[in-house]
Amino acid sequence: MTTTRDAGAPGLARLAGLIADETRAACLLALLDGRAWTAGELARHAGVAASTLSEHLGKLVAGGLLAEERQGRHRYVRLADARVAQLVEELAAQVAPEAAARRPRTLRESTAGSAMARGRTCYDHLAGRLGIAVTDALTERGLLRQDTGFALTDAGLAWFDTAGIRLARTGRRPLARACLDWTERRPHLAGVAGAALCRHTLEAGWCVRIGSERAVKVTAAGEEALSELLGIDPATLR
């Protein structure tokens, strides 16, 4: 009996093998904050020796999951592009219920987990209760449609323009995309619009990063702006 193996099987197996390592998975999840990390920072985060981490990074770079750049003696890595971030996000969402079921081992871990659930960056867009609140507000005001996949309406495009949030409409990245939120178990806004909105909240001081992971906190100015622009109750952002 002869069988015809799908031509994409070897590539898929190699990709799965790259991710199927706890240290490499930890690096990919850390890099979902959208920033470039040094090899030393990732080694400390993953709890492994620098030499061990360097070997793992080499495999991820060679496999196209990470991009590398050097500045002097420092080696920086980041996720290769938004498509890699989407892959990691969606895989992480599949295992989120298992992670959520584990009780925090320390007060610090519990506090960090609460901050991440309240608001965080998911590569380059907002997630957690903050991301869901913004997505719901855009939808309720007819600025975002979710009935046939995520799509900005004409009113939504005008809203971004009025708010001074520029949307780059070139390239293959979708303008709006649904990303499954692993803590809320509902989709939040990603894509070009999600990235632009997240970038604006940080640059305008509406949100600030807290801690050493991806958690963000809405500032008083952010509460005022989001209430004025989207009618979001400040109490839901705390």
Side-chain angles (χ1 to χ4, degrees):
M1 178 179 175
T2 60
T3 59
T4 302
R5 177 175 294 179
D6 191 300
L12 180 59
R14 284 193 297 272
L15 176 62
L18 277 175
I19 300 174
D21 176 274
E22 191 168 338
T23 297
R24 292 196 289 271
C27 292
L28 292 170
L29 288 171
L31 290 167
L32 275 179
D33 69 357
R35 294 177 288 182
W37 289 46
T38 66
E41 289 169 337
L42 282 173
R44 289 190 292 273
H45 177 80
V48 298
S51 57
T52 300
L53 197 280
S54 181
E55 182 180 346
H56 285 298
L57 292 184
K59 292 180 179 179
L60 290 170
V61 171
L65 295 181
L66 298 186
E68 178 185 34
E69 56 187 70
R70 292 183 181 272
Q71 291 186 10
R73 295 180 301 167
H74 294 292
R75 177 192 189 189
Y76 290 88
V77 292
R78 64 172 71 246
L79 295 181
D81 53 35
R83 290 178 299 173
V84 174
Q86 180 180 347
L87 172 65
V88 176
E89 290 167 2
E90 292 179 350
L91 288 174
Q94 298 305 312
V95 299
E98 176 186 331
R102 181 178 63 80
R103 295 178 62 87
R105 291 169 292 185
T106 65
L107 176 60
R108 180 178 180 180
E109 188 175 292
S110 176
T111 301
S114 296
M116 289 278 281
R118 181 171 57 249
R120 63 183 182 277
T121 55
C122 188
Y123 185 53
D124 60 0
H125 54 272
L126 298 173
R129 292 198 298 275
L130 170 60
I132 293 297
V134 169
T135 300
D136 284 349
L138 289 169
T139 304
E140 289 166 3
R141 281 157 181 73
L143 310 177
L144 175 71
R145 293 184 58 181
Q146 297 191 38
D147 51 350
T148 55
F150 273 30
L152 291 180
T153 64
D154 290 341
L157 292 171
W159 181 88
F160 273 86
D161 187 56
T162 300
I165 305 175
R166 180 177 174 275
L167 298 179
R169 305 185 199 183
T170 59
R172 294 182 298 175
R173 191 178 187 187
L175 191 58
R177 177 180 69 81
C179 177
L180 180 61
D181 196 293
W182 62 265
T183 52
E184 297 298 304
R185 309 305 297 162
R186 295 175 52 206
H188 57 243
L189 176 65
V192 171
L197 181 57
C198 178
R199 183 169 57 253
H200 185 80
T201 62
L202 291 169
E203 291 176 350
W206 297 356
C207 292
V208 292
R209 295 186 184 275
I210 56 175
S212 59
E213 296 193 34
R214 294 183 282 138
V216 297
K217 178 182 179 181
V218 180
T219 64
E223 289 182 355
E224 182 178 351
L226 291 174
S227 175
E228 179 181 342
L229 291 172
L230 290 172
I232 298 177
D233 182 357
T236 66
L237 304 175
R238 299 168 186 162

